[in-house]
Amino acid sequence: MEENSKLPKSVLNIPGTKPNVQNGQLLLSSGIPSLDELTGGGFPVGSVVFIEEDKQCTYAKILLKYFIAEGVVCGHSTFIASQDMSTNSIMQELPDVLSFDPEPDLNKSSNDMEMKIAFRYQKLPTSDKPKELDIGHFYDLTRVMPRSTIERSDITNWSKQIPNTFSNPDYHYLLEDIKNKIQSGHFNVTDKVQQRSILRVGLHALGSPMWFDRSFTGLTINQHRDLNMFMFCLRALMRSAFAIAIVTVPSHLISKHIIDRCIYSSDIAIKLQSFAGTELENNSVLADYHGYFQLTKLAAINSFASKHPGSVEYVYKLRRKKFSIEKLHLPPGFDDSQNKKTPSTGCGSSTKHLLEF
């Protein structure tokens, strides 16, 4: 897809997508408006999104549900796999779509105030979105999507098969089934169809202990090699099709150099660091948030220039009805010099003069 600088009309008419006028890349929504804004308008079609899960494996699964729900609403095909939980249970917990923001930000007026001192922060992206979205939808986490809506969508639930190429055959058969889904659904860029659609691939907790080969005792070097090789092959599959994949990985259970190689083989990399169970949980400054949101890598498809997420810190919070990502605004530092006693220099004096002789 990288060589297509001008998109044909059949591609521009794919529901739930929009072209990027800067590089001609087709974008689709993650289901979370604030995340779409951080990634430059949405996820590029043909890319792999790598998510390092939080230790409780809670918020990464929410991102995956948003991604799948957006595909169901837009009529995209979905391929979902997991060894840690039933894929049917994931589908039964998809949030229901809304036509409005269920919990709009109440501090918008404070964000719109002109910043006269730190003027260089005025043009940075914020978490506030207009009421009308140019891509994506709003969702309510307190309501589940109707079963009838899910049943009308093209959904493939991957199940474990019999063992052949990787040391752990599950990776081999998972790639084969994704490839077969691309071919049978005519998602290849070379296929000629009247109406194009998008294939969304969601892989939950890839590389967790449930993915280890049962024929080996303990963790071997082949388990690490399988995960790296799978990510490399998956990106090759996505590049050749109108498809996009989100892969969540429990990075706290995997060596850092393995995670670094997986990030290298992905297009967008996200890390979720939850405050639960850490010393930051009781921090009054971070009381309104649930964890750090780190965008460690951005896609640079159809571009010679690399993209850097920047040095701004982002945090996420799970409200009652929605998941949102915001910039971390630290409170101003107060001058506590009055509470500190100025040391005096002198000989045996108890007075508070600066100089004593």
Side-chain angles (χ1 to χ4, degrees), residues 270-334:
I270 297 170
K271 183 176 182 179
L272 302 178
Q273 182 182 350
S274 174
F275 295 153
T278 66
E279 58 183 5
L280 298 176
E281 185 177 11
N282 299 323
N283 193 316
S284 58
V285 177
L286 304 173
D288 295 334
Y289 308 105
H290 294 95
Y292 283 120
F293 183 93
Q294 300 176 9
L295 193 60
T296 55
K297 183 179 180 181
L298 281 174
I301 303 177
N302 289 352
S303 174
F304 290 107
S306 61
K307 296 182 179 180
H308 191 272
S311 58
V312 180
E313 288 190 340
Y314 295 94
V315 286
Y316 64 84
K317 60 181 177 181
L318 179 61
R319 301 181 180 179
R320 181 173 177 269
K321 294 186 178 182
K322 77 171 185 178
F323 180 92
S324 62
I325 304 168
E326 301 177 2
K327 286 191 301 182
L328 177 59
H329 296 283
L330 294 177
F334 296 99

Side-chain angles (χ1 to χ4, degrees), residues 76 108 192 211 223 264 295:
H76 300 163
K108 184 175 181 180
K192 296 182 179 180
W211 287 83
Q223 303 286 358
Y264 177 81
L295 193 60

